[in-house]
Amino acid sequence: MLDTKYDHQKVEAGKYENWKSKGYFKSGDKDKKPFSIVIPPPNVTGKLHLGHAMNVTLQDIIIRYKKMQGFDCLWLPGMDHAAIATEAKVVKKLKSQGIDKYEYGRDNFLQACWDWTHEYGGNIRDQWAKMGIAVDYDKERFTLDEGLNKAVTQVFVDYYNEGLIYRGEKIINWDPEAKTALSNEEVIYKDVKGAFYHLKYYIEGTNDYLDVATTRPETLFGDTAVAVNPEDKRYKDLIGKNVILPVVNKLIPIVADEHADPEFGTGVVKITPAHDPNDYEVGKRHNLEMIVVMNPDATMNDKALQYEGMTREECREALVKDLEKDDLLIRIEPITHSVGHSERTGVMVEPYLSKQWFVKMGDLAKKVLKMQQDKTSKVNFIPARFEKILKHWMEISYDWCISRQLWWGHRIPAWYKGDEVYVGTSAPKGDGWVQDEDVLDTWFSSALWPFSTLGWPDKTEDFKRYFPNDVLVTAYDIIFFWVARMIFQSEHITGVAPFKYCIIHGLIRDKEGRKMSKSLGNGIDPMDMIDEYGVDALRYYLATDVALGTDLRFDVDKVSSTWNYINKIWNASRFVLLNIENLSNLEFTNLTDEDKWILTKYQKLVKSMTKHMDKYEFNLAGSELYTFIWEDFCSNYIEFSKFNAESNTTKSVLYTILLGILKMLHPFMPFVTEEIYTKMPILEAESIMLTTYPQYDKLLLFEEETMKVNDKIAFISAFRNIKNENNIPSSAQVLLNTDDDIIIKMLKLQDSRISKPLDINSYNVKYGSYEATIYYEKVMTEEEKEALNKQILNLEASISRRKNLLANENYVNKAPKDLVAKERATLAYEEEQLKILKG
RNA sequence: GGGUGCUUAGCUCAGUUGGUUAGAGCGCUUGCUUGACGUGCAAGAGGUCAUAGGUUCGAGUCCCAUAGUACCCACCA
């Protein structure tokens, strides 16, 4: 039997291990229809935060629901090697031991990364277990395991042969801390305080100068031109002439280019093709020399003359001082502008001319846009609006820089010998070939995740059975990084979308709506929540508090009130179990109106729950279930059942409803439902995980009785209202127009019922066919009179509104019939009420 | 500059294909040791659904405009 109190720690203990060891999470039953999800792989060295908790909860709800509906569910778990993130951590760790990465050497370093991976990967698995997620551990993958390495290499080679991957010297985003290239998506723009430095670029052979404004004076060593707009009248005559580059004292041309905006600043731009993406384009158009002025660690190189060896910041300071001394500085104008920073290391990104590998995006993106136009082939986003983010990215997509100057990752399968390049799945024959030192962007491998995890490029059974995936669940901030890339990779490589539905949820913020971050110290560890309130409460809250795609403001009080809800379920179950202990066979003869009422409500609930679950409307599913459990089942049916406790039929109904509730709750709160389920006197299977989801049966609807009981409940409520509002004691005598046992017992009228009217003031209560007169004399206070008047006025207004409505032929003819009928009934009720109030 | 949300009760949020006195949790008021639960029960107060138009018999819901707010993308020499 259940304890008197819900104890989440006790309930959760041991269950996950049991499910896992019994093999309930495993996929592969060929007699069933397949259903597959791949988990968004968390960084192997990371720690699950609330965002992950929400993400895996939603997936687990889907998986458990589909399992109960008879699907062969594969939920494939795994982790991401997270190239730059992991490498940064390992570098830091080695550094703390006094070891330098480069001195340590590639092989040793990689060994250190693997050690780190094995040490931390277990943490994630422990946290998954705490969350209770039904992933198939037999299928677990790692983005850097042998099979995925094979897939990555194959894709690289194929793309190269198709001309979709190329190596070229271009401006890329350089992270001087990690000393690697980054993709545009890995750059975060932040507003920082800076300045426009207005410098004098003297025009050759004159004493005139151009006022050139720059936020980055230290890059002037790489200037190979200044540009003006061809339409700018101020400078038209100067086009083709030269200016003297300050400090360097060399001549550079004045070129005409659209890039220079006459409206912006002075209309003159210095062109540094090797350190600015726009200038790079200008440089290409005008065939300008491209001079890199920095080392990979963003210190100045020999092109910076006497400033060589200084950092960017030191150089700027010293240079500005010197310019001022030489009267080459006009003024410094403070501004706030946005500057790119590395997502991982946080340092200012340096636009940097460098030789890298790229994926040519144009055609791949177009193919995705085309695929999305076809309803049968597209990825369906839920909510649908997020498809626009995908489309937008596909429209603007620039070539993707995929090489990283790191060691922890998939090594690029390219070998060089002099000017020769060889790209292949294994090293070329012959001597003198040297493999590319670089590895691939971590997102290159995760982009293949939906099929590489299933054995592709081999045509494995798993690949044939579980690809394309049915659903992918992720947050909207990852659409650019991951979702978009999975889609174009899959479209090109397999010819189809990687998944049919892409479910997008929001981010978790703190109670004030701020992002959770280390610096603010407002982060909440899901494991702490689980300790305090239990994982069932956390899961239910995360899945049902907000609509899909909306950010959630995390409120501990709500987790706490979810705990109360579970406690309520626990106690209701306790009551039912106490009453059906000796139930051995189900019996549905002689159903009372109340039995029929709850069975009907239950059927309607099943229908609507199935609809919501199928549409991934978990918040709606949650609240309907909540209302049914708390209002219909606990407040009403359980109370009714107390008057019929010995009946085997009542017991059977209690059992049926409780079982159904537990099943429908199970995807949301797996632990407590399992605990209660196993205490039921009749079991469908040894675990609730193996039971089937309730099926809607329209033959079990009893509309007439349902309406009758609805009236009874409304009548009971109206009676209590009158009693409460008027402070009528329980001893007041009551004349009832019905012998209904439920009404009498619910209102506790057994002793105060009378059979004839009394000749004193009375209160009248009426709903539907039920009517009561309560004999209790009381003088009204002014306040009460006022309240009564207000009530009367409201009623009169409502009645007249409703009369107009029902007099409107358009409404009566066009509106659904049952609605019109309901309106008529309400009107009748209101008129009765008015009569009573006017007394 | 382009885009996407949001604005509903004191707070945090729901609100299915438009259907007529708008829901929940928490908070608030009143009463209650009712034999599953005081982590509870019963009753209640509280909203001109941001503003202004339009479509419709009917708008929180659809359309247009405005304001506030948040985020994304681009630009920022």
Side-chain angles (χ1 to χ4, degrees):
Chain A
M1 189 41 59
L2 298 182
D3 293 343
T4 50
K5 189 186 154 188
Y6 165 55
D7 177 343
H8 57 267
Q9 308 236 4
K10 213 167 153 187
V11 163
E12 285 163 26
K15 288 204 171 48
Y16 193 78
E17 294 68 28
N18 178 49
W19 289 330
K20 199 173 151 183
S21 68
K22 292 264 174 65
Y24 297 161
F25 301 158
K26 289 185 186 184
S27 58
D29 185 343
K30 296 280 161 53
D31 295 333
K32 297 176 174 175
K33 272 177 75 179
F35 182 90
S36 61
I37 301 181
V38 292
I39 203 168
N43 289 356
V44 67
T45 63
K47 197 175 153 189
L48 298 190
H49 51 65
L50 279 171
H52 290 114
M54 180 191 232
N55 178 255
V56 296
T57 295
L58 295 175
Q59 292 172 79
D60 197 46
I61 288 171
I62 297 168
I63 287 289
R64 286 177 185 267
Y65 171 67
K66 290 287 176 184
K67 266 184 201 284
M68 292 172 84
Q69 284 205 321
F71 285 87
D72 163 32
C73 291
L74 166 62
W75 185 10
L76 188 145
M79 298 175 214
D80 195 305
H81 67 285
I84 189 167
T86 304
E87 180 149 336
K89 282 184 185 170
V90 175
V91 166
K92 201 172 156 196
K93 185 193 167 201
L94 291 174
K95 208 171 176 181
S96 73
Q97 299 169 355
I99 301 170
D100 174 77
K101 169 187 159 188
Y102 298 98
E103 283 169 20
Y104 203 44
R106 189 164 192 138
D107 289 344
N108 287 333
F109 182 79
L110 286 179
Q111 192 49 55
C113 288
W114 279 111
D115 292 346
W116 183 270
T117 294
H118 294 134
E119 191 183 336
Y120 284 86
N123 289 352
I124 302 255
R125 258 174 240 116
D126 291 346
Q127 293 181 313
W128 281 344
K130 282 265 194 183
M131 290 300 303
I133 66 174
V135 289
D136 183 352
Y137 289 100
D138 290 353
K139 307 281 185 189
E140 183 175 343
R141 301 305 297 264
F142 183 53
T143 51
L144 212 50
D145 68 26
E146 207 179 316
L148 269 69
N149 202 37
K150 184 178 167 188
V152 167
T153 306
Q154 190 65 52
V155 171
F156 190 97
V157 172
D158 290 348
Y159 274 42
Y160 180 79
N161 291 333
E162 293 168 51
L164 288 168
I165 280 184
Y166 64 93
R167 191 174 188 226
E169 193 148 25
K170 290 173 70 161
I171 282 265
I172 44 85
N173 303 291
W174 184 261
D175 179 335
E177 172 72 30
K179 296 192 197 64
T180 179
L182 300 174
S183 67
N184 293 12
E185 286 71 28
E186 289 165 295
V187 178
I188 300 169
Y189 287 87
K190 287 187 213 165
D191 277 345
V192 296
K193 282 185 181 151
F196 268 141
Y197 298 88
H198 290 262
L199 309 181
K200 293 178 181 175
Y201 281 48
Y202 278 97
I203 299 160
E204 186 190 10
T206 73
N207 285 325
D208 288 337
Y209 57 82
L210 288 175
D211 178 347
V212 178
T214 177
T215 54
R216 306 206 55 205
E218 67 276 12
T219 62
L220 72 75
F221 305 103
D223 287 6
T224 49
V226 294
V228 295
N229 192 284
E231 303 303 317
D232 194 333
K233 284 179 189 138
R234 291 172 292 178
Y235 307 116
K236 227 167 187 168
D237 298 340
L238 297 174
I239 295 166
K241 293 190 173 161
N242 293 319
V243 291
I244 302 162
L245 184 60
V247 183
V248 184
N249 288 321
K250 74 172 184 189
L251 293 177
I252 54 172
I254 300 169
V255 299
D257 196 281
E258 295 290 345
H259 168 59
D261 178 357
E263 306 292 322
F264 193 91
T266 57
V268 187
V269 198
K270 76 188 202 54
I271 301 299
T272 321
H275 286 279
D276 182 283
N278 289 310
D279 293 4
Y280 173 75
E281 296 300 324
V282 177
K284 276 208 297 195
R285 285 198 283 272
H286 297 274
N287 249 325
L288 300 173
E289 196 189 346
M290 306 198 176
I291 304 170
V292 174
V293 303
M294 288 176 208
N295 299 309
D297 63 355
T299 58
M300 306 308 293
N301 68 15
D302 59 351
K303 296 288 189 306
L305 311 174
Q306 66 266 38
Y307 306 96
E308 182 181 358
M310 291 183 185
T311 65
R312 294 174 286 187
E313 294 77 15
E314 290 163 354
C315 174
R316 179 185 299 180
E317 204 184 321
L319 176 65
V320 169
K321 231 176 244 173
D322 292 343
L323 287 166
E324 195 174 7
K325 210 164 55 194
D326 296 342
D327 195 27
L328 291 165
L329 179 72
I330 302 165
R331 65 195 161 95
I332 301 173
E333 178 191 342
I335 55 156
T336 299
H337 60 150
S338 105
V339 176
H341 292 73
S342 166
E343 189 207 12
R344 279 295 154 199
T345 65
V347 299
M348 200 177 97
V349 160
E350 186 62 43
Y352 200 66
L353 185 66
S354 135
K355 203 169 205 180
Q356 304 287 346
W357 287 92
F358 296 88
V359 175
K360 203 187 221 171
M361 285 304 303
D363 289 344
L364 293 168
K366 273 184 206 137
K367 280 165 62 181
V368 170
L369 288 170
K370 198 179 161 209
M371 180 177 83
Q372 288 303 103
Q373 279 169 8
D374 183 347
K375 271 187 188 151
T376 59
S377 64
K378 72 184 287 193
V379 174
N380 298 284
F381 281 79
I382 299 175
R385 66 173 184 273
F386 289 105
E387 187 183 356
K388 285 180 191 163
I389 296 183
L390 172 78
K391 284 187 175 167
H392 178 68
W393 193 76
M394 290 299 169
E395 277 155 12
I396 62 165
S397 72
Y398 19 66
D399 288 357
W400 173 19
C401 176
I402 52 172
S403 44
R404 295 289 180 275
Q405 287 65 52
L406 302 169
W407 288 343
W408 178 239
H410 299 92
R411 193 154 173 187
I412 291 177
W415 285 261
Y416 311 112
K417 186 158 89 177
D419 286 342
E420 281 181 89
V421 179
Y422 174 83
V423 171
T425 50
S426 56
K429 288 184 181 122
D431 292 335
W433 289 96
V434 180
Q435 187 173 5
D436 196 312
E437 290 289 321
D438 294 348
V439 300
L440 290 164
D441 182 1
T442 193
W443 296 103
F444 191 89
S445 53
S446 36
L448 313 177
W449 189 248
F451 48 90
S452 62
T453 50
L454 296 170
W456 187 94
D458 298 328
K459 290 264 180 279
T460 60
E461 286 301 313
D462 280 349
F463 178 73
K464 282 186 244 171
R465 185 167 171 79
Y466 300 113
F467 185 84
N469 306 155
D470 288 275
V471 167
L472 182 98
V473 182
T474 194
Y476 62 74
D477 63 338
I478 221 81
I479 295 176
F480 286 134
F481 276 114
W482 192 43
V483 176
R485 285 168 179 161
M486 278 191 285
I487 293 175
F488 87 71
Q489 293 278 39
S490 177
E491 195 283 334
H492 185 70
I493 295 163
T494 72
V496 292
F499 28 79
K500 295 174 196 122
Y501 291 91
C502 184
I503 294 171
I504 303 290
H505 61 256
L507 308 178
I508 303 209
R509 301 176 174 278
D510 73 2
K511 212 178 163 186
E512 277 74 47
R514 299 170 304 181
K515 272 192 175 169
M516 286 190 179
S517 70
K518 275 182 198 156
S519 55
L520 281 172
N522 58 351
I524 289 174
D525 186 340
M527 298 304 129
D528 293 345
M529 289 296 108
I530 291 172
D531 286 344
E532 201 171 343
Y533 301 103
V535 66
D536 286 331
L538 178 68
R539 286 170 57 117
Y540 182 87
Y541 167 57
L542 291 175
T544 63
D545 190 58
V546 289
L548 215 52
T550 315
D551 288 353
L552 178 142
R553 293 191 185 199
F554 195 86
D555 184 350
V556 180
D557 290 342
K558 288 194 178 185
V559 184
S560 165
S561 69
T562 305
W563 189 97
N564 289 356
Y565 171 43
I566 299 176
N567 186 55
K568 179 78 180 178
I569 294 164
W570 181 267
N571 274 292
S573 305
R574 194 166 164 269
F575 171 86
V576 174
L577 292 172
L578 282 167
N579 279 277
I580 64 173
E581 251 172 330
N582 53 1
L583 183 72
S584 55
N585 64 304
L586 299 182
E587 182 189 335
F588 295 98
T589 51
N590 299 318
L591 290 168
T592 64
D593 288 351
E594 287 70 33
D595 295 333
K596 290 178 178 174
W597 172 82
I598 193 70
L599 288 169
T600 304
K601 287 237 162 193
Y602 171 74
Q603 282 307 321
K604 289 182 176 175
L605 175 74
V606 168
K607 186 182 180 186
S608 131
M609 281 295 289
T610 308
K611 189 183 88 186
H612 290 316
M613 296 298 282
D614 286 341
K615 290 168 81 176
Y616 308 106
E617 296 166 338
F618 303 122
N619 62 324
L620 299 180
S623 55
E624 282 208 32
L625 199 45
Y626 181 97
T627 308
F628 177 83
I629 290 172
W630 208 306
E631 296 301 322
D632 297 334
F633 189 53
C634 292
S635 295
N636 290 308
Y637 188 74
I638 284 187
E639 293 306 320
F640 298 155
S641 79
K642 288 176 181 171
F643 311 129
N644 264 318
E646 295 312 312
S647 149
N648 212 43
T649 298
T650 303
K651 289 178 186 179
S652 300
V653 174
L654 281 171
Y655 169 88
T656 305
I657 304 295
L658 178 62
L659 179 63
I661 286 170
L662 292 175
K663 286 178 176 183
M664 287 185 276
L665 277 172
H666 178 256
F668 296 89
M669 32 183 88
F671 291 94
V672 70
T673 48
E674 175 81 330
E675 176 76 12
I676 299 166
Y677 172 79
T678 53
K679 302 288 196 301
M680 298 281 271
I682 304 169
L683 292 185
E684 186 182 319
E686 63 175 359
S687 162
I688 193 166
M689 277 192 74
L690 306 179
T691 64
T692 54
Y693 204 78
Q695 297 272 313
Y696 173 63
D697 184 349
K698 65 180 175 194
L699 295 176
L700 290 174
L701 296 180
F702 306 96
E703 296 291 1
E704 211 172 298
E705 290 87 345
T706 298
M707 279 169 69
K708 203 166 146 196
V709 176
N710 279 341
D711 279 358
K712 275 192 215 179
I713 292 168
F715 173 72
I716 290 166
S717 184
F719 186 97
R720 286 169 171 167
N721 177 1
I722 297 285
K723 245 187 94 180
N724 255 318
E725 292 289 286
N726 299 290
N727 290 317
I728 297 172
S730 300
S731 56
Q733 292 181 301
V734 175
L735 183 65
L736 253 188
N737 77 335
T738 170
D739 288 327
D740 188 279
D741 203 37
I742 292 292
I743 289 178
I744 292 164
K745 285 178 172 161
M746 288 294 282
L747 294 177
K748 300 187 172 58
L749 298 178
Q750 292 92 325
D751 299 329
S752 54
R753 262 187 95 190
I754 52 171
S755 51
K756 277 183 192 161
L758 297 181
D759 189 21
I760 54 170
N761 274 344
S762 62
Y763 292 90
N764 214 307
V765 185
K766 194 172 167 166
Y767 196 97
S769 58
Y770 303 104
E771 187 170 5
T773 314
I774 310 172
Y775 292 96
Y776 180 67
E777 202 155 10
K778 190 173 173 244
V779 184
M780 272 195 176
T781 65
E782 282 306 310
E783 254 179 16
E784 283 166 333
K785 277 181 191 164
E786 224 172 89
L788 180 69
N789 274 333
K790 196 179 153 195
Q791 242 178 314
I792 289 174
L793 286 175
N794 282 344
L795 255 182
E796 283 173 342
S798 180
I799 287 169
S800 96
R801 200 170 25 240
R802 216 174 295 279
K803 272 185 175 164
N804 280 337
L805 180 66
L806 287 166
N808 184 335
E809 275 181 42
N810 259 316
Y811 171 75
V812 175
N813 294 334
K814 289 182 188 171
K817 271 180 194 161
D818 53 328
L819 238 166
V820 178
K822 212 173 112 192
E823 284 301 322
R824 290 219 165 91
T826 311
L827 179 63
Y829 169 70
E830 283 178 339
E831 284 176 329
E832 283 295 340
Q833 281 305 99
L834 187 65
K835 236 190 265 172
I836 291 166
L837 288 180
K838 284 186 162 173

